[in-house]
Amino acid sequence: MSFGIPFFPQEASSEAGRIDALFYTLLAFSAVLGLALAGLVVGYAVKYRVGSKADRTGKRSRSLPLEMSWTIASLVIAFIFFGWGAALFVRRDHPPADALEISGLGKQWMWEFRQPGGQREINELHVPVGKAVVVSLAAQDVIHSFYVPAFRIKQDAVPGRTTHIWFIATQPGRYHLFCAQYCGTQHSEMGGWVIAMAPEQYAAWLNSQGEGETLAASGEKLFRALGCSGCHGASSKVRA
Ligand SMILES: [Cu+2]
C-alpha cells in the first residue's frame, strides 16, 4: 500500500503509538476541514461564475444560534487537542520510578553514553526492551538534541543544565539516533544507533563490556583531584 514510501514510520517505543494517534487525528481533522473549505471555494466559484443567475443583491441574514454553535464547537475542538497534547507533555516529563538511568553527553560531534554500571559507548546506546529507560542529557559545548524518530522522542541537551527523556523500547532492533539541533560543521554526521535488545542479551552485552567507572566515581575523583574535598569533604577541617 505504501509503495515503498514510509507514510507510516515504524513505531518502536511505548510513546510512539500515543504520539502517532494524536498526529494522525490532527492530520485527519485538518484534511476534512481543508477538503470542506476547498469544496466551498469550488462550489462558490461555480455558483457565481460569469453569467450565472445567482443572487448578487448582497442581502445578509444573521443567526445567533448558528454563530454561537460554530464558535463554541471550535473552542471545544481546540481544547480537546490542547488537552490531549498537554497530557502527552506531562507524561513525557514523568518517567516511571524504576527507570534505568543512562547518562548521555552531546559534544561536537558525537554522543557519549554511560550505562548505570559505568560502561561507556560512543554513538551507540544499548537498551533492554520492555524496561523504562531515562536518558539524562548534558552538553559539553553547544546545544545538541537527542532524537530517535522510531521512538518519537526528541530532547535538547543544553550546556549548563541536565535534561531528561524517557522511553520503553518495544521491539528489538537498531534505530537511528540523530542530533536534531544544528551544532556546527559536522552536525549532519552527529548520530548513531539505539540498539534495543532482549533483557537477557542486554545483560550479556553489559557483562561483555566489563566494569566501567560510574559517573559518581568519576565525580569523586575530580572532587579530590581539584582539591574540593579540602573544604567540602565530610571530614575536612576547614569549612567553606
Ligand atoms: Cu549536535
Side-chain angles (χ1 to χ4, degrees):
M1 259 305 274
S2 70
F3 310 105
I5 302 167
F7 285 119
F8 300 99
Q10 190 178 17
E11 294 176 345
S13 82
S14 53
E15 307 314 292
R18 294 168 194 272
I19 286 162
D20 284 2
L22 173 58
F23 174 75
Y24 290 127
T25 307
L26 258 174
L27 188 67
F29 180 72
S30 306
V32 168
L33 213 61
L35 284 173
L37 286 171
L40 286 174
V41 168
V42 173
Y44 281 121
V46 172
K47 185 178 177 189
Y48 291 103
R49 71 190 182 281
V50 175
S52 77
K53 296 205 164 51
D55 177 15
R56 289 181 164 83
T57 53
K59 268 184 296 180
R60 288 188 202 167
S61 64
R62 294 197 63 171
S63 162
L64 188 63
L66 188 65
E67 287 180 20
M68 281 179 65
S69 63
W70 75 51
T71 306
I72 291 168
S74 308
L75 188 73
V76 169
I77 291 167
F79 267 98
I80 289 172
F81 283 122
F82 169 76
W84 192 345
L88 288 177
F89 262 107
V90 170
R91 182 182 155 82
R92 112 192 249 295
D93 282 333
H94 290 83
D98 64 340
L100 195 69
E101 190 164 344
I102 292 177
S103 69
L105 178 68
K107 49 182 156 182
Q108 287 168 325
W109 287 275
M110 64 173 81
W111 289 107
E112 183 187 318
F113 297 101
R114 214 185 286 212
Q115 297 281 341
Q119 296 88 343
R120 291 182 192 220
E121 357 180 22
I122 300 286
N123 290 340
E124 277 194 349
L125 171 59
H126 289 73
V127 295
V129 162
K131 170 114 180 101
V133 171
V134 54
V135 185
S136 52
L137 291 162
Q140 188 170 294
D141 32 46
V142 299
I143 302 176
H144 301 278
S145 192
F146 177 86
Y147 177 37
V148 186
F151 291 178
R152 307 292 190 279
I153 55 165
K154 179 159 81 71
Q155 172 61 54
D156 279 5
V158 184
R161 74 169 85 149
T162 306
T163 53
H164 299 88
I165 188 74
W166 75 276
F167 57 87
I168 302 172
T170 50
Q171 295 168 40
R174 279 165 68 82
Y175 305 100
H176 260 300
L177 161 69
F178 294 103
C179 174
Q181 187 69 259
Y182 180 68
C183 57
T185 313
Q186 289 171 50
H187 159 70
S188 63
E189 287 160 45
M190 180 171 168
W193 299 92
V194 174
I195 296 138
M197 311 166 97
E200 319 78 64
Q201 281 172 301
Y202 171 73
W205 175 84
L206 272 184
N207 278 333
S208 74
Q209 299 300 303
E211 286 291 296
E213 192 175 61
T214 63
L215 273 185
S218 309
E220 193 182 358
K221 270 192 192 160
L222 276 179
F223 186 69
R224 303 213 174 282
L226 299 173
C228 311
S229 54
C231 302
H232 299 279
S235 56
S236 59
K237 301 250 157 34
V238 189
R239 287 286 168 202

